[in-house]
Amino acid sequence: MVCELISVGTELLLGNIVNTNTQFLAEKCALLGLSMYHQVTVGDNKDRLAEVIRAALKRSDIVILCGGLGPTEDDLTKEVCSEVMDFPLVEDAHTKGRLVEYFKNSIYKQITDNNWKQAMVPDGAKVLDNDNGTAPGLILEKYGKSAILLPGPPNELIPMFMNQVYPYLQNLQPEIIRSQMVKICGVGESRVEDMLLDLIDKQTNPTIATYAKTGEVHLRVTAKAASEEEADKLIKPVVKEIKKRFGDSVYSVKEDETLEMAVVKLLKKLELTVTTAESCTGGMLAARLVNVPGVSDVFREGFITYANKSKRKILGVSKSTLKKYGAVSEQTAKEMATGGVFATDADVCIAITGLAGPDGGTDEKPVGLVYIACYLKDNVTVEKYQFKGDRNKIREQSVVKALDLLRRSILDNYR
Amino acid sequence: MVCELISVGTELLLGNIVNTNTQFLAEKCALLGLSMYHQVTVGDNKDRLAEVIRAALKRSDIVILCGGLGPTEDDLTKEVCSEVMDFPLVEDAHTKGRLVEYFKNSIYKQITDNNWKQAMVPDGAKVLDNDNGTAPGLILEKYGKSAILLPGPPNELIPMFMNQVYPYLQNLQPEIIRSQMVKICGVGESRVEDMLLDLIDKQTNPTIATYAKTGEVHLRVTAKAASEEEADKLIKPVVKEIKKRFGDSVYSVKEDETLEMAVVKLLKKLELTVTTAESCTGGMLAARLVNVPGVSDVFREGFITYANKSKRKILGVSKSTLKKYGAVSEQTAKEMATGGVFATDADVCIAITGLAGPDGGTDEKPVGLVYIACYLKDNVTVEKYQFKGDRNKIREQSVVKALDLLRRSILDNYR
């Protein structure tokens, strides 16, 4: 089945916002085994919207429209789509009731009349309740085609899609599609592809898709079968083989588990606490750890020592080390990590010092040079990197490598 | 003139990456005064790509295509566009020479034959040199229409567009278009629009566009005129009026100046140093400051005190304060900010403590409650916020408010 995405909104045509809905929906549609050949963005204009909807219904089986469902005059998606597909609009008592309830709890006392237009739905359409806003989603079915209308704000669209549209699309499919994520850190994308070349070349079912992230590669293994059990049976040996090839570089096989979550889980399991000593990353590493709810069990404090004097005063890096080797050196990284453990009660300290640029680079120490150290069990491991990219890219890569060094150091020491 | 964007790449249809090029190009086209009615994404498929290009050339004056210019067999944009517009491909000696040069300096010794296809260009096309990759950009002109072909990677596309395409598009326009940014912090988007309603309602030239960012609103004032001087003359009184209405809430009128840059600039000007004391934001505030190259003049160190014990030990928050008022309280925020100044040589300390969730909220202290304190000149200002959104959104908003509190406190004290 062919699916097409239409994003509606003049703000997209003006470049006011990045269209993240399209990426989200496209990934989920691929996961459902739907083919996608076109994604179109059009403004809040009746004629052009109608033309785009007509073209999409002609060439695709499922058309997902995002945006333009709100209460204002600019919001035309429902009206135009109903007209193109010839559905009259009628008031939906259920949606009207939900709106009354919503506004009763609202801080806004004056509910303008245009809000009630959101209770009008195409006669015969499936109504998708919106738990995070006022505009309901809609599914219109005719001529063996489906038009699915979703609200534009991601916090409304994502839960509505996952809870109500995903199961609907799954039901339309003759086969069951299941997938399993494998997340890899510490191996570059082209190396990952090289190491899987034989599997990728002969793949039909399951398939392996690679997604490159900063410092990480995610693999999605997807199988089609008549039942969930059969699909899982197809996936299992492939995931096992990938895990065998990549060993410790696989940090998670869970869809929603981030690298920092995997690290925090590992620390919790071994009852270890960690502290951070950051220079060029300036708090980004600690912030990544604090992304994880419940991190307080393993992370109590961290230090940002940007100036040399702060490295000395807070972490006890020696004056002679800074003078002899400089702030960006293996020796300084080592002393920062050691100092972090001694300044706190933590079992582990991860330290980062580097040149994020754009200025300050030399032939000997170019911009992008970063040292990352991990103190664990009276032992410090230091890694040296030469990153490419701008200031932010260098810092982001440093943080991923630091999280990965922490993870690997623990695995190496507690097994 | 009407401009249309076509993104080419199966990876976009599969949702492997977010399409940020479209937002970048759409914003720049709007800035150039070009109208945009359609943005289309299509895969690496000859027939569908040809169909999409034909439709675009029919309804638009300028068609910008991104992606599909590389050396592989999947890269079809140049071949298909040349065929649709009837341009024969010929070898371009200049581009060939650049490729030879590029590969001479490359770490890859084996240059596969398919790379040379990048030296083939449509006969009569303008060639745009690519300083960050191997695929040149192209401009094909025919029937009063222009097709502009750009490489997909943003680090190649952005400089090529800004240096070579932007001036080309500017020349196509009969009028000069100039714009001025006004960046506002501390006033919500709807309030900003309310305060500008009379200006926006009567606007024709210049126009005012609003862009909502996390905790900020950016306004772009754009004027069309026969000369740069005339355009600037139209913009000046409008910017002056906006500045008058928003006062200190305007933190910058520079396109590329971020909030943290404005804060660091202010600190430098007054020769003040700052330190940070963060709980729920876990280093995000310091990381924002360290985004700014040269921050070392004003920021030497910062603390992440996530645990209560760390707040006591590192910042000297009193045990009784934590016991009586809790970690998320006005009193704790105050003592954190004070402690930060006393633990360092800094003139100013900004402290954040809050409940980022998802767990740990109570009726009295719900998730999203955040206190931000600023110690400056023996005086502490504390602000209380109740933010909405998930853990990350709450933390991001906290950081913006903290940077803004820091900025306003300095302005209030040194003027």
Side-chain angles (χ1 to χ4, degrees):
Chain A
M1 266 194 299
V2 178
C3 178
E4 178 158 350
L5 300 183
I6 301 175
S7 304
V8 186
T10 301
E11 71 279 14
L12 292 165
L13 295 179
L14 291 172
N16 295 10
I17 51 168
V18 175
N19 188 342
T20 54
N21 287 340
T22 289
Q23 188 263 339
F24 168 80
L25 292 170
E27 189 181 338
K28 294 297 174 264
C29 287
L31 182 57
L32 282 159
L34 297 168
S35 300
M36 187 175 292
Y37 301 136
H38 298 90
Q39 297 167 346
V40 180
T41 299
V42 66
D44 306 311
N45 173 284
K46 205 183 150 189
D47 295 339
R48 283 190 289 268
L49 179 54
E51 184 202 308
V52 162
I53 294 173
R54 256 183 235 113
L57 284 170
K58 211 165 152 187
R59 63 193 176 192
S60 305
D61 306 298
I62 299 158
V63 180
I64 304 180
L65 294 112
C66 321
L69 292 186
T72 76
E73 271 183 42
D74 280 352
D75 293 305
L76 296 166
T77 306
K78 179 175 66 187
E79 289 74 7
V80 173
C81 194
S82 301
E83 202 180 305
V84 168
M85 293 181 78
D86 199 16
F87 279 83
L89 290 172
V90 292
E91 187 174 282
D92 181 48
H94 168 74
T95 303
K96 180 86 183 262
R98 284 181 62 95
L99 283 170
V100 169
E101 201 57 33
Y102 186 94
F103 291 126
K104 216 163 61 186
N105 298 322
S106 163
I107 51 165
Y108 304 105
K109 288 289 156 249
Q110 293 272 326
I111 307 305
T112 50
D113 281 347
N114 56 5
N115 278 292
W116 303 115
K117 97 170 199 187
Q118 295 177 110
M120 298 297 286
V121 308
D123 199 6
K126 284 191 175 62
V127 176
L128 310 172
D129 288 346
N130 186 344
D131 292 327
N132 303 287
T134 53
L138 295 163
I139 301 180
L140 286 70
E141 293 173 323
K142 211 175 221 177
Y143 332 115
K145 311 258 176 171
S146 299
I148 303 172
L149 282 58
L150 301 172
N155 69 321
E156 300 179 29
L157 178 140
I158 293 172
M160 187 183 286
F161 183 87
M162 291 313 292
N163 299 331
Q164 301 179 72
V165 181
Y166 195 94
Y168 168 82
L169 292 173
Q170 219 161 14
N171 271 334
L172 289 185
Q173 297 278 77
E175 288 179 304
I176 294 286
I177 293 165
R178 297 268 287 177
S179 84
Q180 167 81 55
M181 192 59 113
V182 183
K183 297 185 177 180
I184 292 171
C185 194
V187 188
E189 190 192 10
S190 53
R191 177 96 186 101
V192 168
E193 282 176 353
D194 274 356
M195 284 172 71
L196 293 175
L197 210 58
D198 56 320
L199 295 182
I200 290 173
D201 270 356
K202 68 172 187 198
Q203 70 182 0
T204 47
N205 188 26
T207 56
I208 305 173
T210 60
Y211 301 79
K213 315 270 168 184
T214 300
E216 303 185 28
V217 181
H218 296 183
L219 303 173
R220 189 189 287 287
V221 182
T222 307
K224 294 186 190 195
S227 71
E228 288 196 1
E229 292 70 31
E230 271 181 68
D232 287 344
K233 221 190 261 176
L234 288 166
I235 290 171
K236 216 177 156 187
V238 177
V239 170
K240 200 177 158 188
E241 179 61 27
I242 294 172
K243 282 170 121 176
K244 196 179 128 195
R245 292 189 190 187
F246 290 95
D248 281 350
S249 298
V250 174
Y251 75 80
S252 179
V253 290
K254 287 186 187 159
E255 189 77 33
D256 297 325
E257 190 168 59
T258 61
L259 181 58
E260 56 265 36
M261 282 181 190
V263 168
V264 168
K265 197 167 78 177
L266 197 60
L267 289 162
K268 276 192 185 178
K269 194 177 128 197
L270 295 164
E271 296 186 352
L272 293 169
T273 56
V274 66
T275 187
T276 52
E278 302 180 63
S279 187
C280 64
T281 49
M284 286 169 82
L285 171 61
R288 278 285 290 266
L289 289 170
V290 176
N291 282 346
V292 185
V295 71
S296 50
D297 291 347
V298 301
F299 175 78
R300 290 172 197 150
E301 65 251 313
F303 305 97
I304 300 140
T305 54
Y306 202 65
N308 280 0
K309 201 177 153 192
S310 311
K311 290 181 184 73
R312 276 167 45 206
K313 215 177 55 174
I314 298 172
L315 301 169
V317 176
S318 79
K319 206 169 176 172
S320 66
T321 298
L322 287 165
K323 202 175 165 193
K324 193 166 166 195
Y325 303 104
V328 180
S329 64
E330 190 185 326
Q331 290 78 3
T332 297
K334 220 168 187 164
E335 291 187 27
M336 283 172 73
T338 310
V341 164
F342 285 93
T344 64
D345 296 332
D347 303 302
V348 194
C349 178
I350 191 98
I352 303 175
T353 180
L355 273 157
D359 304 318
T362 62
D363 282 351
E364 203 196 334
K365 292 187 179 181
V367 167
L369 177 68
V370 178
Y371 290 91
I372 304 171
C374 180
Y375 181 104
L376 174 65
K377 279 193 172 180
D378 300 331
N379 198 15
V380 195
T381 314
V382 188
E383 290 184 349
K384 177 184 174 178
Y385 290 97
Q386 182 61 52
F387 296 118
K388 280 185 185 169
D390 64 13
R391 184 172 174 87
N392 207 38
K393 197 86 196 151
I394 290 166
R395 293 160 76 217
E396 274 179 14
Q397 292 175 86
S398 305
V399 169
V400 174
K401 292 294 180 193
L403 287 169
D404 197 40
L405 174 60
L406 172 55
R407 194 179 66 85
R408 284 168 195 265
S409 300
I410 298 170
L411 288 177
D412 288 346
N413 274 279
Y414 291 86
R415 164 175 59 188
Chain B
M1 266 194 299
V2 177
C3 179
E4 177 159 351
L5 301 182
I6 301 176
S7 304
V8 186
T10 302
E11 70 278 15
L12 292 165
L13 295 179
L14 291 173
N16 295 9
I17 51 169
V18 175
N19 189 344
T20 54
N21 287 340
T22 289
Q23 187 264 337
F24 168 80
L25 292 170
E27 189 180 338
K28 294 296 174 264
C29 288
L31 183 55
L32 281 159
L34 297 167
S35 300
M36 187 174 293
Y37 302 136
H38 298 90
Q39 297 167 346
V40 180
T41 299
V42 65
D44 305 312
N45 173 284
K46 206 183 151 188
D47 295 339
R48 283 189 289 268
L49 179 54
E51 184 204 309
V52 161
I53 294 174
R54 256 181 238 116
L57 284 170
K58 213 166 149 186
R59 63 192 177 193
S60 306
D61 306 300
I62 299 158
V63 180
I64 304 180
L65 294 113
C66 319
L69 292 186
T72 76
E73 272 183 40
D74 280 353
D75 293 305
L76 297 166
T77 306
K78 178 175 64 187
E79 290 72 9
V80 173
C81 193
S82 302
E83 203 180 303
V84 168
M85 294 181 78
D86 200 16
F87 278 83
L89 290 173
V90 292
E91 188 174 281
D92 180 49
H94 168 75
T95 302
K96 180 88 183 258
R98 284 180 62 93
L99 283 170
V100 169
E101 202 58 32
Y102 186 93
F103 291 126
K104 216 163 60 186
N105 298 322
S106 163
I107 50 164
Y108 303 105
K109 287 290 157 247
Q110 294 270 328
I111 307 306
T112 50
D113 282 347
N114 56 5
N115 278 292
W116 303 115
K117 99 170 197 185
Q118 295 177 112
M120 299 295 286
V121 308
D123 199 7
K126 284 193 174 63
V127 176
L128 310 172
D129 287 346
N130 186 344
D131 291 327
N132 303 287
T134 54
L138 296 162
I139 301 180
L140 286 70
E141 293 172 322
K142 211 173 218 177
Y143 332 113
K145 310 259 175 169
S146 298
I148 303 171
L149 282 60
L150 301 173
N155 69 320
E156 300 179 28
L157 178 139
I158 293 172
M160 187 183 285
F161 183 87
M162 290 314 292
N163 298 332
Q164 302 179 72
V165 181
Y166 195 94
Y168 168 81
L169 292 172
Q170 218 160 14
N171 270 334
L172 289 186
Q173 297 279 76
E175 289 179 304
I176 295 284
I177 292 166
R178 298 268 288 176
S179 84
Q180 169 80 55
M181 192 60 113
V182 184
K183 296 185 178 181
I184 291 170
C185 194
V187 187
E189 191 192 9
S190 53
R191 176 97 186 101
V192 168
E193 282 175 353
D194 275 356
M195 284 172 71
L196 293 175
L197 210 57
D198 57 319
L199 295 181
I200 291 174
D201 269 357
K202 69 173 188 199
Q203 70 182 1
T204 47
N205 188 22
T207 56
I208 305 173
T210 60
Y211 301 78
K213 314 270 169 185
T214 301
E216 302 185 27
V217 180
H218 297 183
L219 302 174
R220 189 188 287 287
V221 182
T222 308
K224 295 185 189 195
S227 71
E228 289 195 0
E229 292 70 32
E230 270 181 67
D232 288 343
K233 221 189 261 174
L234 288 165
I235 289 171
K236 217 177 154 185
V238 177
V239 170
K240 200 176 158 190
E241 179 62 27
I242 294 172
K243 282 169 122 177
K244 195 178 128 197
R245 292 189 188 186
F246 291 95
D248 280 349
S249 298
V250 174
Y251 76 79
S252 178
V253 290
K254 287 185 186 160
E255 188 78 33
D256 297 325
E257 190 168 57
T258 60
L259 180 58
E260 56 265 36
M261 282 180 190
V263 167
V264 169
K265 198 168 77 178
L266 196 60
L267 289 163
K268 276 192 187 179
K269 195 177 126 196
L270 295 164
E271 296 187 353
L272 293 171
T273 57
V274 66
T275 189
T276 52
E278 302 179 64
S279 187
C280 63
T281 48
M284 285 168 83
L285 171 62
R288 279 284 292 265
L289 290 170
V290 176
N291 281 347
V292 186
V295 71
S296 50
D297 291 346
V298 301
F299 176 78
R300 290 172 197 151
E301 66 250 312
F303 305 98
I304 300 139
T305 54
Y306 202 64
N308 280 359
K309 201 177 152 190
S310 311
K311 292 181 183 73
R312 276 165 44 205
K313 216 176 57 174
I314 298 172
L315 301 171
V317 176
S318 79
K319 207 170 176 173
S320 66
T321 297
L322 288 165
K323 203 175 162 192
K324 193 166 166 195
Y325 302 104
V328 180
S329 64
E330 191 185 326
Q331 291 78 4
T332 298
K334 220 168 188 164
E335 291 187 26
M336 283 171 72
T338 310
V341 163
F342 284 94
T344 65
D345 296 333
D347 303 303
V348 193
C349 179
I350 191 99
I352 303 175
T353 181
L355 272 159
D359 304 318
T362 62
D363 281 353
E364 204 196 335
K365 293 187 179 181
V367 167
L369 176 68
V370 177
Y371 290 91
I372 304 173
C374 180
Y375 182 103
L376 175 65
K377 282 194 170 177
D378 301 328
N379 198 15
V380 196
T381 314
V382 188
E383 290 183 350
K384 177 185 174 178
Y385 290 97
Q386 183 62 52
F387 295 118
K388 279 185 187 172
D390 64 13
R391 184 171 174 88
N392 206 38
K393 197 83 197 153
I394 290 166
R395 293 160 75 216
E396 273 178 15
Q397 293 176 85
S398 304
V399 169
V400 174
K401 292 294 181 194
L403 287 169
D404 197 40
L405 173 61
L406 173 54
R407 194 179 67 83
R408 285 167 194 265
S409 300
I410 298 171
L411 288 177
D412 287 347
N413 273 279
Y414 291 87
R415 165 175 57 187

